[in-house]
Amino acid sequence: MTSKDTRPSSASTEQALRAIEARLNKIQEIAHLGSWELDNHTGQLVWSDEVYRILGLIPQEITATYEAFLDSVHPEDRDSVNSAYLDSIQENKDSYEIEHRVVRKHTGELRYVHEKCEHVRDASGKIIRSQGMVQDITEHTLTNDSLKQRTLQVEKLANEQRFILSSMPIGVAFLKNRNIQVSNPAFDKMMGYIAGETLGMNSADLYPDSETYERVGNAAYEAIFNGGIHTVESMMKKKDGSLIWCNIVGQAVNAEKPEDGSIWMIQNITDRKLAEQMLLEYNRQLKEARKLAESASHAKSEFLARMSHELRTPMNAIIGFTQLLEDNPVHPLSEDQRDSLHEISTASGHLLELINEVLDLSRIESGRLLLSLEPLEPGDLCRECLSLLIPLAAKCGITMAVNVPPGFWIYADRLRLRQVLLNLISNGIKYNHTGGTVEVGCNVQSESSVRIWVRDTGPGIAPEFLPRLFQPFERAVAVDGLIEGTGIGLVLAKRLTEAMGGTIGFETSLGSGSLFWIELPQAESMEEMEETAASLGAPPPLPGERQVLYIEDNPANMRLVKKIISGLSGVTLLMAESAEAGLELVKACRPHLVLMDINLPGMDGFEALDRLRGNPETCNIPVVAVTASAMPDQVERIKKAGFDDCLTKPINLQRFVAVVDALLEKPVPEDTND
Ligand code: ADP
């Protein structure tokens, strides 16, 4: 009987097995999941194709062994992989799992794998077979890692931002719908709340009243949602109701989407505002005080001017009549009467000197001292002072010498310099020993200054007195009551020297004498000025003959102007040394232009101008002020007085010629009376 053998033939079975194996391989490839099996009895290890792929090995090149596997493991993970396997055997574990890295042999590529191993044991517990799975989890691990990294970064950033926000010294708040969503501690603290307490509050609650909120808050919202940053200063209300001044800077997150909210930075500027208010108040008070001081100083000057007149008139009478009595040949006086009169005469002379000095001092202090700074050579002036002091020097037994050769030129007010020198020289005589000397000298101190000094052979000045040396009414104990003096001379000398743009100083040595000096600005010599004048060249001649009258008491200035005018063709110069003489000349000659020095002996330039303007015959003659004073009130006074122009000393030659030329070019004024 033939029976049909239904069993599959061995060939087809093998085929079917290979197909299953191939499908299994494919599945393993898709899942990146390889499998292995170790026969502990034979020691044979079998890897699926996917294990080879994961380890980056080629089946034809290498036989599957535990060593070959360990070779593929990343060197840093090898120990832990090996221990996991050995430990599981030693500790009789049925299975274990481990994740580690492998390095692909040919490419060096790094892969992450997850391994699971199971031991199959016989009844006695001996391992007969170990089998396992290797899964390539590289993509998963890397994704996880980068995710972790990203999360960490975001967290770090958020922490940093939180830190910045909380440590910022100015208040920051994020608002949505005008409600506070986020605020930093500085904001909460500034507004008097505890941290976080402002969350949810409406911005209107932070303003003092609804009027302010509408005016400031609404305007700010409108501005930020129109785009840009808005800054405003406003009062804000703290939790306890107190008010503070804040500087508020706001910006929309997105100007087109108000619902995205806005950021506000708020700074407490109360201190600054208070300081500003105090400053305003201070300035106001200062202005008032200045006004008061000005009127007080004006009143003081008025008072002093009056007092001076009132005191001087009787003083002159006392001195004059004393002299008349002393020199009366008709009724000669007894010795006793003569002595008494002499006392009166000395005391009143002293008093007059004191009055004059105090007056000068207060004039300087109120800025009303009129100075006429002119280029001058100090030699003659020094000699003049010495000759004035001969009687005093003779009385004290002092020899005087002066060594000031010509050629030194300074800018100074002749009268005031004389006053300073007289004081210094008389001190040198007074505070000296009988038989001592006083020497006056001069030297160029620097490119821009000349020093005039007075050296004496007196006792010198005690160190303890030095700090009080230039203080009013201070006199050394050693001299007070013994040597005549007021204690004002040196202060006056200092103020006068400084008013002339100079400095004063001294050197002293106990027992050997003192040297007092003043330094004054150096001036161009007359020759140098004349040279400059000549180098200017003459302007075109003016039509007809013109006469210029220069009223001036300083010889150096007269010489200079004479030189300049001589260079102008068709112009002749008349000169007068006082306003009185000048007015006479104007009447007699009717010049085309008057150059008027302001600080003149007797009548001053202002009064002379008034006289000219007040006379219909002379009122149209142009008058130019020539002044050495740079004091603002005097310049202002000149402007107001009605001078046609003003020239300041030292004379600027170009400007001088331009002014004279312009005024002489004007048509000759018609006499109003003719
Ligand atoms: P007065 O001479 O009228 O007292 P000053 O102001 O000129 O006033 O001088 C003030 C004081 O300085 C003098 O009283 C004197 O003590 C001291 N003093 C000034 N010049 C000299 C000098 N050359 N030698 C010594 N002492 C001087």
Side-chain angles (χ1 to χ4, degrees), residues 522-533:
Q522 195 169 359
E524 264 188 336
S525 72
M526 192 49 62
E527 288 69 32
E528 284 167 323
M529 282 192 279
E530 284 174 357
E531 262 169 39
T532 321

Side-chain angles (χ1 to χ4, degrees), residues 407-418:
F408 293 102
W409 282 89
I410 53 171
Y411 274 117
D413 180 306
R414 181 177 285 273
L415 218 69
R416 298 304 180 180
L417 177 60
R418 190 162 163 270

